[in-house]
Each structure stands twice: as C-alpha cells, then as structure tokens.
Amino acid sequence: MTLLAETVRRIDTLVAQTQATGRTPSLALGVVRDGTLVHLAAAGDHPRPHAALQYRVGSITKTMTATLVMRERDAGRLTLDDPLERHLPGTAVGGLTLRQLLGHASGLLREPDGPWWERTEGTDLATLVAGVSTDKVGYPAWRGYHYSNLAYGLLGGVLERITGTPWAELLTTRILDPLGLRRTTYHPTAPYAPGYVVHPWHDTLREEPRTDTGAMAPAGQLWSTVTDLARWAAFLADPDPEVLAADTLTEMCAPVILSDLDSWRGGHGLGLELYREGDRVYVGHGGSMPGYVAALTVHRPSRTAVVGFANSYGFRTGHIGGLSRQLLTLVLDAAPTPVTPWRPAAAPPAAELAELTGRWWWMGIEYEVRADPAGELWAGRPGDPTLRFTPTGPDRWRGRSGEEDGEVMAVLRDPDGRAVGLDIGTFVFTRTPDQEP
C-alpha cells in the first residue's frame, strides 16, 4: 500500500529537520505496510543512507533473543517460570525466573561487572556467569521495572546450555535464514555506516569501536539494514508460524510490567517494549550502541511499522524512538487501514453451525451468533460480533478473543436434541428472554 504524496512530504521534512537539529551524520527511517517497505526517508551524507546500508541495531537484538526463548518454551524445553539456576547454574541470582528476566522485572542491575561492555571486547559465558554476584540485585523481583542488559546476556546463556548451540548460530538458523534477513549479521558487513560521537562544541566526528561483545551479544550485538529491519517489523505484526506461533507473539506483547507508573504510557512484555500513543498501543524496541541508535515501532492491528537508524550516539535513543512513533502516528492518521469489503459466503454453514446462529438472550440482554466459512462462531451484541469461538469437541467451543478468551462454551440440548442454551462459564444464554436458564 503506497503512502499519500502529502504524507511522504511530511515524513521527509521531519526526517530532514531531525537530522539537522540532532546533528547526526546519517539518518534513515523506513515505513512498512502490509509486510512491505513502502518508503525510505533519508538525510545526511556521512555516509549517505540507503536501504541496504548496515547500522548497529543495539538492543533491538533483544527482541530476537526473546523470540528464541519463546520457541524453546513452545517446544517444551523450558517454562517461563523456571528459575535461572535450572538452566544456567553458577550465578548467585539463580532464583530469578526467565519471565522476570525477559520482562525486566527481576530487579537485576543493568550492566555486568568490568569495563563498559558495549565498548570493549566481550568475555565468554563462563566468565560472565562467574561475575554475577548477589550485589547484582538492586531490589526484589516485581517491585518495579528496571532495564537490564545483563538479564539478556544470561538469557543467551540459557539458550546455549539448553540447545548446545552458540547463540549466534541459533539465531541464524532459526530466525535470520528462515525470514531471509541476509543483511542482519553478527559482525559488520560492508557497506556499513561507521558510528560516531559528535563533538558538542565544534561538530567534529570521533569514530567509535566496533566490538565483539561476546557473552553479552544477545543483548545488543547485531547489525542490520532498513530493508531487513522492515522484514523483522513485518514479522512482529504478522509472524511466520514456522518461526513462531502467532499466539506466542501475542503473548509476548502482553504487559509483564509497566515502565511508566505516572501516565501508563509505557510497559514491557516478554522481550518487547510497549508504547501507548493516544488510543493506540505500539510494540517494538529501541537500540543503542556507541556511535549508533535505532528504533523499531510496530502497530500490529494495521500491520504498519516504522524502523530507523542513526550513526551518532549523541542522537539520543529517545529522540529516534520518539521520531519513529511520531511518524507511525502520522501514517496511521493520514491513511487508516483499508476496510475489508464484505463478500457473500459460497454456501450456507454446516447444519451443526447453522442451528447455533441467530439471537440469544442473557439477563434480558440480546446477543447474536454468526458462523463464518472457517467453521468458527462469532458472538456479541447485535452488529458487534467480536467474540470468536472455535470447536474443541462435540457441543464444546473455546473462546479465542475478548472477555471470553479461554472460556468454554457448552451447547445445552433438550430431550429431542435441539440446541436450547449456550453455557459460557455458567452464564446460560437462551433463545428467548422469557426462558429460564
């Protein structure tokens, strides 16, 4: 889906203004709709941005590490409430759970011991584990949100111990290759943008080192491009089930903890940041490494996203993250998601579905039930059938959306076998408001 010309003009103007005021050598932001990169806005010429130019993604790496953990959960090799000690023994914080680590709710401090890990060559996993003492816990789990890079270094260690495969190899075989992310790599692969610090007083550039962060790589090592990050954004909007089940990704987007208790504008799920902008909730992550910042912001209901990179550490993470959310809101406001046209069904529903359709009543309130070609039922107030039910057995249905998600709906029949009631968690719906449950 293309963007309106006026929307493109406003995006390009905002990106150009931001590059100038942010004093960043190279700035690139891409707009994604329905799985496709539909526009690249670029500014700066050091180097000149293009869609295949690599930048460092920083902590956006965590979204992929979390996806790998959830794959292992789905395969039955761990549970989210397993203590760290079960899979990665040897730390002094082994009672913390994988869920707490994924959601930054563990109370674990932000960084590992030693020099700043983002700017120095990394250690191996054994050294990282041995350096985690009780001093690395700032306060009890669940007391509040506290972002922890160290948590993701440890989660990478969990993955390596469970699978017997190094994190980078696991990432390549289970995410990068299946999704065709050929320009997302562990080390920079030309062409790439050098990362800089811009001097505050005379605007000269100091190039930053491009380090191998070792055991901390699962927290922020990767390099990528606008094209590849757009594909990852499309996956977060509508996942490939061969990589991750759609229900699992939805679970990752549910809040584990709020990061903003004052206005409830931010939170964290299982590896994904959550941002509330007006009536919309975006998911994604920010990223920074010395000389680089990045942004990934996705509106899942409309399958729309904005991704972005800059190669100056002074161009603050919040700045590019805020810009990406501003651009995403601009796109959604200017070009709302197209309405899917109604089309007639090819044939009536099967008899066992058809007899359940129509009007039902509960406590004097009218509801309607409709069948769809997929063999499911949709229910709700007249004109608003938003509750989805899928069959699980004879006269048994399971709620899959809204307030009835997970609830069982049982069909009640009279002695002649006719459906006379729908029992949803003991709330019985009848064919007329005069019938007793």
Side-chain angles (χ1 to χ4, degrees):
M1 178 181 178
T2 59
L3 302 179
L4 299 174
E6 175 60 17
T7 304
V8 170
R9 186 195 68 78
R10 291 179 63 189
I11 290 171
D12 290 345
T13 298
L14 278 168
V15 169
Q17 291 173 340
T18 304
Q19 185 271 338
T21 57
R23 299 184 306 138
T24 187
S26 176
L27 175 62
L29 285 104
V31 179
V32 185
R33 299 214 83 173
D34 294 327
T36 302
L37 179 65
V38 296
H39 182 62
L40 173 66
D45 57 8
H46 206 86
R48 182 169 294 280
H50 56 84
L53 183 68
Q54 274 194 339
Y55 298 78
R56 211 158 192 181
V57 307
S59 288
I60 294 173
T61 302
K62 293 181 175 70
T63 64
M64 297 186 181
T65 298
T67 298
L68 291 173
V69 172
M70 298 304 290
R71 281 178 56 106
E72 294 303 303
R73 193 285 305 272
D74 287 357
R77 287 185 280 269
L78 58 83
T79 75
L80 296 185
D81 294 316
D82 285 347
L84 176 65
E85 184 75 15
R86 181 171 301 172
H87 304 291
L88 188 65
T91 74
V93 298
L96 301 177
T97 69
L98 305 186
R99 187 188 306 275
Q100 292 162 356
L101 296 172
L102 283 166
H104 301 293
S106 69
L108 201 63
L109 296 185
R110 188 177 59 245
E111 315 295 1
D113 281 342
W116 184 17
W117 68 272
E118 294 179 352
R119 207 169 183 269
T120 55
E121 292 301 309
T123 61
D124 61 15
L125 180 58
T127 302
L128 178 67
V129 168
V132 181
S133 68
T134 54
D135 291 340
K136 282 298 177 186
V137 178
Y139 46 75
W142 299 119
R143 197 187 80 177
Y145 169 84
H146 188 77
Y147 191 86
S148 177
N149 288 307
L150 175 57
Y152 274 77
L154 297 175
L155 288 168
V158 168
L159 289 166
E160 183 171 326
R161 293 289 173 83
I162 286 176
T163 64
T165 305
W167 172 83
E169 182 180 338
L170 200 67
L171 177 75
T172 300
T173 58
R174 296 190 179 180
I175 293 180
L176 303 184
D177 285 350
L179 295 181
L181 305 182
R182 308 298 182 201
R183 290 279 293 149
T184 302
T185 57
Y186 188 95
H187 293 292
T189 305
Y192 62 85
Y196 298 107
V197 170
V198 179
H199 195 282
W201 310 132
H202 48 66
D203 286 352
T204 57
L205 301 180
R206 184 188 77 219
E207 188 170 346
E208 287 295 288
R210 294 178 283 276
T211 54
D212 180 342
T213 56
M216 286 296 294
Q221 174 69 30
L222 293 180
W223 297 73
S224 193
T225 67
V226 170
T227 296
D228 270 17
L229 199 58
R231 289 176 181 159
W232 182 240
F235 171 84
L236 294 179
D238 185 15
D240 178 347
E242 295 299 315
V243 175
L244 193 71
D247 285 349
T248 300
L249 185 51
T250 298
E251 181 184 357
M252 294 172 69
C253 297
V256 171
I257 197 164
L258 290 175
S259 56
D260 171 16
L261 293 177
D262 294 326
S263 62
W264 290 26
R265 290 175 59 88
H268 209 286
L270 296 168
L272 291 167
E273 294 176 341
L274 313 174
Y275 320 103
R276 184 169 65 82
E277 298 286 333
D279 292 334
R280 300 185 182 108
V281 174
Y282 302 152
V283 304
H285 215 288
S288 71
M289 290 292 279
Y292 301 92
V293 290
L296 166 69
T297 310
V298 182
H299 184 241
R300 300 193 72 214
S302 67
R303 302 176 69 225
T304 307
V306 171
V307 300
F309 297 106
N311 65 336
S312 171
Y313 197 63
F315 187 80
R316 301 182 188 280
T317 307
H319 199 180
I320 195 171
L323 177 62
S324 72
R325 294 191 289 276
Q326 182 182 4
L327 295 185
L328 182 51
T329 300
L330 189 160
V331 169
L332 294 174
D333 286 348
T337 305
V339 176
T340 302
W342 173 87
R343 292 184 174 88
E352 58 268 25
L353 268 72
E355 70 168 334
L356 302 181
T357 62
R359 293 287 188 265
W360 294 87
W361 298 82
W362 176 78
M363 299 294 290
I365 302 172
E366 185 180 17
Y367 288 80
E368 66 180 24
V369 175
R370 295 177 177 271
D372 74 9
E376 298 180 332
L377 293 174
W378 290 85
R381 300 297 296 277
D384 187 33
T386 58
L387 305 175
R388 180 169 68 99
F389 292 86
T390 59
T392 60
D395 284 344
R396 290 291 185 275
W397 300 75
R398 180 77 69 174
R400 298 300 185 193
S401 66
E403 64 184 2
E404 304 301 347
D405 191 15
E407 296 287 345
V408 173
M409 181 174 75
V411 180
L412 306 180
R413 297 185 179 275
D414 67 11
D416 295 325
R418 292 174 299 195
V420 295
L422 301 176
D423 183 335
I424 306 177
T426 75
F427 295 178
V428 177
F429 293 71
T430 56
R431 275 302 191 184
T432 76
D434 299 316
Q435 290 177 290
E436 291 292 332

